[in-house]
Amino acid sequence: MVINIMEPSNIRNHKIDNAKGLFIILVLLAHTPPILTINNISIEFKMLIHCTIMPAFFFFSGMLSKNPIKRADKAIKNLLIPYVLFSILSVFFNQIRHGLDWNIQTFNLFLPKGFMWYLGALFWMVLLLPHIIKFRYPILIASVVSFVASLFLQDAYEYCALGIAFSMFPMFLLGYYVPVDFYQKYSKVLFFAGGVIGIIGIIALTMNGNIYFRFRPHFYHQYINEEFIKFLCFGFATLIVLMVVCVLPNKVTFLTTIGKNSILVYVFHEYIYSFIGHLFDIDNDYLDLLIATTVSILVSYFLSRHFFVTLYTSITTPINKLLLKWEQ
């Protein structure tokens, strides 16, 4: 059994799930001290991860939204309610875990809690998709809106993840317009060459100082040049994603269930990672990186198992039935 907030399993394939499995492992790796802190590990390596992982997941989300009306109809059930529930859970966990003071702003769910901004942003994208594809140039329109939103929505950028949704919407639309079986239409050599260009491009931007240590494509950008860099990252990330999907096998592998249940890994890893910071106290950055990689793989595997599928559904299903008439 898998958790699926995208499309029915009969239109999914193992290549996409394997790619999602690989990228969710990289997401967990990106949330470890060896990648999050300044140390001896190459900044080019770190920024290659940071500038690719979330654009990749918005791209996959768009790719698996080929039925936009059906997807939008289920957005409350599959995205908004989990966003609210797990935001509340994140609040209680972190308040108790770290002994923080309680106040009214603690429960301000208009500001995403933990890593729930992704679900919030995806909710708005899914709602917008059936409408924007009615226009002639949806990707161009989304890009203009993304540019404007990132520059002029500073005070409201994180509110309800709206600013993030507008900022990352072009990647979601790119995924929507790319066929799930795109790798069958052109030579693998072409996609491999494109992926290499994408990797070189992000490394070159980092070496040139265009991408700095705290730069993230989904962050608020104060300067116009950073927005142009964001769009370059979108292009390079797309090339890398297409290459990864193309080279991975279209069969069940170690990564497949991890990819199918990547939302579980994303939602629950916050609680495990809160307790394992001491694992990275070794006075050797590269040994820390090895430990972080191993931990990311093991935690991804663990959180994608059936127990967490059951846990996730046991949390969300009763609320869905309580609030949604069509779930009665």
Side-chain angles (χ1 to χ4, degrees), residues 36-287:
L36 281 176
T37 58
I38 297 175
N39 49 40
N40 292 322
I41 298 169
S42 165
I43 188 174
E44 289 79 14
F45 173 71
K46 296 175 184 176
M47 299 317 298
L48 184 61
I49 294 176
H50 285 306
C51 291
T52 304
I53 49 177
M54 294 319 297
F57 272 99
F58 284 116
F59 182 90
F60 288 133
S61 296
M63 180 180 282
L64 297 173
S65 297
K66 302 303 186 188
N67 190 335
I69 295 178
K70 181 178 180 181
R71 183 90 193 274
D73 286 343
K74 294 186 176 182
I76 294 177
K77 171 188 174 182
N78 290 338
L79 295 168
L80 182 59
I81 288 178
Y83 166 82
V84 173
L85 288 177
F86 287 102
S87 292
I88 294 172
L89 182 62
S90 178
V91 166
F92 275 98
F93 174 81
N94 285 294
Q95 291 295 118
I96 296 171
R97 171 81 172 89
H98 302 292
L100 303 177
D101 294 331
W102 299 81
N103 56 65
I104 191 65
Q105 286 301 314
T106 301
F107 294 95
N108 181 5
L109 299 184
F110 291 105
L111 292 175
K113 307 300 181 182
F115 300 113
M116 293 303 102
W117 62 266
Y118 171 71
L119 292 182
L122 193 55
F123 171 74
W124 298 116
M125 293 181 187
V126 167
L127 290 186
L128 286 171
L129 181 60
H131 305 287
I132 196 168
I133 59 176
K134 296 176 182 177
F135 291 87
R136 283 193 173 185
Y137 309 106
I139 295 179
L140 176 61
I141 293 172
S143 298
V144 172
V145 173
S146 170
F147 188 86
V148 172
S150 294
L151 289 175
F152 298 106
L153 289 182
Q154 178 177 8
D155 293 336
Y157 189 77
E158 293 185 3
Y159 244 71
C160 300
L162 262 174
I164 300 174
F166 286 132
S167 180
M168 301 298 292
F169 200 28
M171 281 301 298
F172 182 84
L173 277 176
L174 277 173
Y176 172 76
Y177 284 107
V178 171
V180 176
D181 61 346
F182 71 89
Y183 50 84
Q184 297 179 349
K185 301 181 183 297
Y186 303 98
S187 168
K188 286 186 177 181
V189 175
L190 180 65
F191 291 114
F192 184 81
V196 172
I197 291 173
I199 292 171
I200 293 174
I202 292 178
I203 291 175
L205 288 174
T206 307
M207 294 179 67
N208 195 46
N210 301 114
I211 296 176
Y212 51 91
F213 182 67
R214 293 300 300 166
F215 181 89
R216 305 289 185 273
H218 57 279
F219 279 9
Y220 168 78
H221 300 132
Q222 186 175 1
Y223 303 106
I224 292 178
N225 66 302
E226 292 180 340
E227 274 300 286
F228 286 116
I229 297 300
K230 181 189 78 175
F231 281 103
L232 282 175
C233 287
F234 283 172
F236 293 140
T238 300
L239 292 175
I240 293 170
V241 169
L242 295 177
M243 177 190 71
V244 169
V245 173
C246 191
V247 300
L248 288 175
N250 193 15
K251 63 181 181 180
V252 176
T253 69
F254 171 80
L255 294 170
T256 307
T257 301
I258 297 175
K260 286 180 179 178
N261 290 331
S262 58
I263 189 63
L264 301 181
V265 179
Y266 184 82
V267 166
F268 288 121
H269 82 280
E270 170 185 1
Y271 308 105
I272 293 180
Y273 271 34
S274 177
F275 294 98
I276 61 174
H278 65 280
L279 295 177
F280 310 105
D281 292 336
I282 300 173
D283 192 23
N284 184 310
D285 293 332
Y286 294 99
L287 184 55

